[in-house]
Amino acid sequence: MNLRNSFIETYGEVEKPIYSFFSPGRVNLIGEHIDYNGGYVLPVAINLGIYGVMSLRDDKIIRLKSMDFSNEVIIDLEKEIKYEAKDGWGNYAKGVMKFLKEDGYSLKGCNILIKGNLPNGAGLSSSAALEVLIAYMLLYPILQPESINKKYIALLGQRVENKFIGVNSGIMDQFVVANSKKDHALLLDTQNLSYENIPCYLNGYILIVMNTNKRRELASSEYNKRRKECENALETINKAKNNKVSNLCQCTLDDLKYLKDEIEIKRARHVITENQRVIKAVELLKKDDIKGFAKLLIQSHDSLKYDYEVTGLELDTIVEESLKTQGCVGARMTGAGFGGCAIAVVEKNKVESFIQNVSAAYFNKTNIKASFYTTSIESGVRILEN
Ligand code: GLA
């Protein structure tokens, strides 16, 4: 593996054992913007992700470099770890170190080199992949691999986003990146973090990831805003129902009558119907009804477009063009929205013409070149054989 050679060149390390790891990105099949509303989500981990190579040091220093960015981040584990804007991507790793220390882990000093093949800012969870990767790498030398608790790592990653980076994100991304199983989607109940691995072979069809190449600029501010709108809607419903519901996904469409604010009605309607779609989608996947499953993706996109309002010109265009193209049975935006990626379910023997046609039509309308990936569904964070 190339990264190992680059690691040796970068750190001049030849004597100590060198360990290699991989942490995947994710796409969410369905269940969007409901992981912070106590709903079900159905993401998969993909074959694109971040590789990390590490060797241990004899001191308490962590040196961290990436082949994708020029800055080096040096952390002294004996000092307080603080967010610093100049560290850019390194802050995700620093957050992980800070909270692992806070949780009582006596981390070892090490040299780390990472390299990703996930497009950045595309909504494939490069930040969750990085958080989970660093947590796994740092715990690896102090715990047996079997005793590294993947649920803990996922929660730690979320804590970094919420408390260190300042994005109020849910648990979906880190959870699937840590716990996924090859060729399975992960049905996660975000109320209690119980989950089920759902076989996902999409017989006769291929899952295509389409990057609009429009960066998700608004994502974090609008994301926090949506979350607040959902909290407000829940509060109003609870006032009317004497605090009977603990999250918006437990509400029914009938409960919308308690809401007066037009925005809150739309947000809550998306949340409630999306949760129902996930449950339906799993039933259909289990029956191998791929067309039925794909139809739900279309409904999900419409709900995210009209009710949750997180799509935008580029995502809407790529989805519309996909749906017009032969061989495509369903498509939707995936992730936080406002740019980033969409997915399409396409008949296996039409994939090439699908990509050509959608690419041309999308460029025609937006003047942006989209990227297409035919991905496979992979397992979560892991150590690689050298
Ligand atoms: C981002 C967040 C997730 C989830 C999705 C939307 O990816 O990190 O927790 O809320 O957006 O479904």
Side-chain angles (χ1 to χ4, degrees):
M1 187 180 138
N2 257 337
L3 189 57
R4 207 180 137 86
N5 295 339
S6 308
F7 179 88
I8 295 170
E9 257 171 48
T10 307
Y11 292 109
E13 184 59 79
V14 281
E15 280 170 6
K16 297 220 168 78
I18 298 176
Y19 306 98
S20 305
F21 303 83
F22 177 72
S23 181
R26 69 96 188 87
V27 291
N28 188 16
L29 297 180
I30 193 159
E32 215 65 87
H33 283 282
I34 57 172
D35 65 337
Y36 50 88
N37 285 305
Y40 288 103
V41 292
L42 191 68
V44 297
I46 56 176
N47 53 328
L48 302 173
I50 306 178
Y51 293 86
V53 177
M54 171 182 81
S55 71
L56 296 179
R57 300 168 58 100
D58 299 322
D59 55 17
K60 284 284 198 181
I61 301 292
I62 296 184
R63 283 182 69 190
L64 191 62
K65 285 189 185 183
S66 163
M67 301 285 287
D68 308 314
F69 299 95
S70 56
N71 60 321
E72 178 180 14
V73 181
I74 300 181
I75 297 104
D76 183 343
L77 288 168
E78 276 162 354
K79 298 202 175 125
E80 198 192 337
I81 299 173
K82 289 194 192 128
Y83 181 97
E84 279 172 277
K86 71 165 176 45
D87 289 334
W89 61 275
N91 281 305
Y92 294 94
K94 287 173 79 177
V96 168
M97 294 168 200
K98 181 183 166 69
F99 293 138
L100 281 173
K101 266 180 67 183
E102 261 181 37
D103 288 354
Y105 290 102
S106 172
L107 301 178
K108 295 196 190 287
C110 54
N111 296 328
I112 294 179
L113 181 66
I114 64 168
K115 172 155 186 51
N117 54 11
L118 271 176
N120 271 314
L124 300 181
S125 286
S126 49
S127 63
L130 180 58
E131 290 149 6
V132 168
L133 175 72
I134 297 294
Y136 192 84
M137 289 175 86
L138 297 181
L139 289 175
Y140 183 81
I142 52 179
L143 298 174
Q144 296 298 322
E146 319 74 70
S147 54
I148 299 181
N149 183 334
K150 305 266 182 73
K151 205 182 259 189
Y152 166 72
I153 292 188
L155 286 165
L156 187 88
Q158 185 195 23
R159 201 159 124 208
V160 171
E161 294 281 344
N162 296 173
K163 304 259 156 61
F164 201 73
I165 305 292
V167 180
N168 226 347
S169 55
I171 186 62
M172 169 173 76
D173 304 345
Q174 292 80 4
F175 202 93
V176 67
V177 166
N179 292 288
S180 179
K181 180 171 171 193
K182 190 169 170 51
D183 294 324
H184 288 68
L186 190 150
L187 173 65
L188 174 66
D189 179 346
T190 61
Q191 252 190 118
N192 54 21
L193 299 191
S194 63
Y195 69 97
E196 188 186 337
N197 298 115
I198 311 290
C200 189
Y201 294 97
L202 299 179
N203 293 331
Y205 295 86
I206 299 262
L207 180 71
I208 301 192
V209 177
M210 311 183 286
N211 186 358
T212 59
N213 282 319
K214 150 96 173 130
R215 280 186 75 88
R216 300 169 307 133
E217 279 131 19
L218 279 174
S220 56
S221 58
E222 286 294 322
Y223 186 97
N224 288 347
K225 199 164 145 203
R226 293 297 178 284
R227 197 165 174 160
K228 189 86 196 64
E229 289 160 352
C230 290
E231 282 164 16
N232 292 345
L234 177 64
E235 205 182 304
T236 313
I237 293 175
N238 258 331
K239 268 189 200 139
K241 296 184 84 174
N242 295 326
N243 292 324
K244 285 228 178 70
V245 276
S246 56
N247 62 59
L248 214 45
C249 283
Q250 284 176 354
C251 297
T252 62
L253 286 176
D254 186 52
D255 292 330
L256 296 182
K257 66 180 180 229
Y258 302 122
L259 299 173
K260 296 283 164 292
D261 182 286
E262 200 46 45
I263 296 280
E264 284 174 26
I265 294 175
K266 285 160 80 171
R267 306 301 188 244
R269 187 165 55 212
H270 165 72
V271 167
I272 295 163
T273 56
E274 183 76 353
N275 198 39
Q276 292 165 350
R277 280 187 287 273
V278 180
I279 296 165
K280 193 85 205 287
V282 171
E283 271 169 37
L284 294 174
L285 264 188
K286 283 183 174 167
K287 285 192 217 144
D288 252 339
D289 180 353
I290 309 303
K291 278 193 176 161
F293 165 78
K295 275 207 185 101
L296 292 168
L297 304 192
I298 306 174
Q299 290 171 18
S300 168
H301 186 87
D302 283 343
S303 180
L304 288 154
K305 176 178 176 181
Y306 296 111
D307 276 350
Y308 220 65
E309 297 178 284
V310 290
T311 57
L313 171 77
E314 292 78 8
L315 282 169
D316 289 336
T317 305
I318 211 156
V319 166
E320 270 161 35
E321 294 306 327
S322 300
L323 294 176
K324 276 189 218 158
T325 305
Q326 247 209 346
C328 176
V329 286
R332 63 179 285 270
M333 61 151 273
T334 186
F338 305 105
C341 286
I343 51 173
V345 179
V346 179
E347 281 172 40
K348 246 185 195 157
N349 56 3
K350 304 253 169 62
V351 167
E352 240 168 74
S353 59
F354 170 86
I355 294 178
Q356 267 173 19
N357 290 335
V358 176
S359 174
Y362 176 74
F363 184 76
N364 222 343
K365 296 214 162 135
T366 60
N367 231 0
I368 307 176
K369 238 183 140 334
S371 319
F372 295 80
Y373 306 89
T374 47
T375 50
S376 56
I377 300 180
E378 297 297 329
S379 56
V381 68
R382 56 196 180 266
I383 182 150
L384 303 173
E385 310 234 321
N386 277 317

